């Protein structure tokens, strides 16, 4: 598996997105920025919970923070998995399709890559 997108700095990530290799594309970009947005949600929830006048349900607040962190982690994994999934899909699409056996093998590979 290629190195994690999370090991890149923003400039490197931007260059990957804008570069000729389309493997870092829409899903990865969306997942990265959604994970970052959830980081902001966590920050706001934690600030709210530390306020002196907070009168909300502290257990509910903690559950929301934990859920946002878990979702952010899941999205981060998707960002790293997307380029590999895209590469598998492109390999499948480029498979030969001259015979019925080849067409069936290609269809199976394309379906597997899409999953």
């Amino acid at each position: 598996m290629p190195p994690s997108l999370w090991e890149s700095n923003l400039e490197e990530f931007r260059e990957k997105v804008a570069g000729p290799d389309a493997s870092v594309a829409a899903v990865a970009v969306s997942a990265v920025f959604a994970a970052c947005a959830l980081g902001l949600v966590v920050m706001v929830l934690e600030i709210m919970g530390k306020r002196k006048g907070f009168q909300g349900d502290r257990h509910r607040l903690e559950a929301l923070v934990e859920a946002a962190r878990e979702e952010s982690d899941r999205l981060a994994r998707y960002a790293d998995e997307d380029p590999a999934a895209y590469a598998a899909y492109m390999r499948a699409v480029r498979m030969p399709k001259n015979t019925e056996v080849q067409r069936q093998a290609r269809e199976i590979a394309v379906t597997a890559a899409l999953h």
Side-chain angles (χ1 to χ4, degrees), residues 1-100:
M1 186 169 209
S4 173
L5 293 175
W6 299 98
E7 294 171 5
S8 303
N9 64 39
L10 285 175
E11 178 63 22
E12 292 166 341
F13 182 68
R14 185 179 70 87
E15 291 298 321
K16 285 179 186 178
V17 170
D21 178 8
S23 67
V24 179
V27 173
V29 171
S30 298
V32 165
F33 286 100
C36 291
L38 280 168
L40 292 173
V41 169
V42 168
M43 179 187 69
V44 169
L45 291 172
E46 288 180 336
I47 289 170
M48 284 176 42
K50 291 177 184 175
R51 294 186 68 145
K52 275 189 174 185
F54 179 73
Q55 295 180 1
D57 182 341
R58 193 159 303 280
H59 293 292
R60 177 73 177 138
L61 184 71
E62 290 169 3
L64 288 170
V65 167
E66 183 60 27
R69 283 192 173 125
E70 288 174 7
E71 187 64 18
S72 180
D73 290 345
R74 187 173 69 89
L75 287 164
R77 284 191 310 276
Y78 287 167
D80 277 339
E81 291 170 0
D82 181 52
Y86 179 78
Y89 172 76
M90 291 308 296
R91 280 192 306 274
V93 167
R94 292 180 179 132
M95 289 174 67
K97 54 186 175 183
N98 299 322
T99 68
E100 185 59 32

